[in-house]
Amino acid sequence: MKKILILLIFLYGHLYALERKSTLKMYHSIFAALSPKASIAVYTNDKEYRDVFSHSKRIFLSDKLQDADIVLITDERTLNNILYWVKVNTNMEKKPIIFVTNYHFLDKSDDILGAFYWRKGRSQLLFIHDRLKEHNITLPQAYQNFMIDEL
């Protein structure tokens, strides 16, 4: 019984752990579509994503929001803190691009440009057209099918 319980805990952990190679490939592609830079500074406080991104040659982790090109938000507490930070720091010369991993976060702020999330076992990718326009971002043709006009 103890062995079965240990095996179940082990498998449960693997179901929710990010697979590094495919996760990096996907985020390299998404972040390259959002930013013209060859090396992209990303801020996230998510431990798993920080571990995955630490293995990238194109994504560099930023410890400061103001130095980030892109902010990846994975939980609601962080979302609220970052949205407050963006609201308070209105004198910034450039706002970071905010990208989330939860569909429901998209309606929390017009500063969130898109989301990559899972629904019913399938990956979903969404970009909000008007929000991309506000940031002067034109996505490559390959991403045109993932743009929506409104939620």
Side-chain angles (χ1 to χ4, degrees):
M1 183 67 172
K2 188 175 180 180
K3 287 182 181 181
I4 292 173
L5 182 59
I6 292 171
L7 179 62
L8 286 175
I9 292 170
F10 178 77
L11 290 174
Y12 178 80
H14 280 284
L15 287 174
Y16 289 94
L18 296 173
E19 195 283 310
R20 183 174 55 210
K21 188 175 179 181
S22 61
T23 301
L24 267 180
K25 184 177 180 180
M26 188 62 175
Y27 278 100
H28 279 156
S29 180
I30 292 169
F31 292 165
L34 292 172
S35 175
K37 294 182 173 184
S39 297
I40 301 168
V42 175
Y43 175 88
T44 185
N45 66 353
D46 186 284
K47 183 180 169 186
E48 283 187 277
Y49 280 100
R50 289 187 69 81
D51 179 56
V52 169
F53 294 157
S54 71
H55 293 90
S56 174
K57 293 179 182 174
R58 290 184 269 172
I59 297 172
F60 294 93
L61 292 169
S62 174
D63 292 326
K64 296 180 181 178
L65 279 167
Q66 61 269 24
D67 297 335
D69 299 309
I70 297 175
V71 176
L72 180 66
I73 302 173
T74 62
D75 65 87
E76 193 159 9
R77 182 175 180 218
T78 301
L79 173 67
N80 292 332
N81 290 338
I82 289 174
L83 292 178
Y84 176 76
W85 181 86
V86 168
K87 184 178 179 181
V88 169
N89 291 289
T90 56
N91 59 346
M92 293 173 48
E93 61 183 64
K94 74 164 183 85
K95 283 185 181 179
I97 294 166
I98 301 177
F99 197 78
V100 297
T101 60
N102 185 324
Y103 173 82
H104 300 290
F105 293 170
L106 288 169
D107 63 357
K108 301 278 185 183
S109 171
D110 289 341
D111 290 320
I112 301 169
L113 303 189
F116 179 64
Y117 58 97
W118 292 87
R119 187 169 71 186
K120 296 182 182 178
R122 293 186 178 175
S123 62
Q124 306 288 313
L125 179 61
L126 279 181
F127 297 100
I128 313 292
H129 187 255
D130 291 342
R131 297 177 189 180
L132 292 168
K133 267 183 165 177
E134 288 175 22
H135 281 78
N136 296 316
I137 296 174
T138 303
L139 293 177
Q141 187 63 37
Y143 287 101
Q144 296 300 311
N145 291 337
F146 300 104
M147 282 199 304
I148 59 173
D149 291 325
E150 59 186 51
L151 292 174

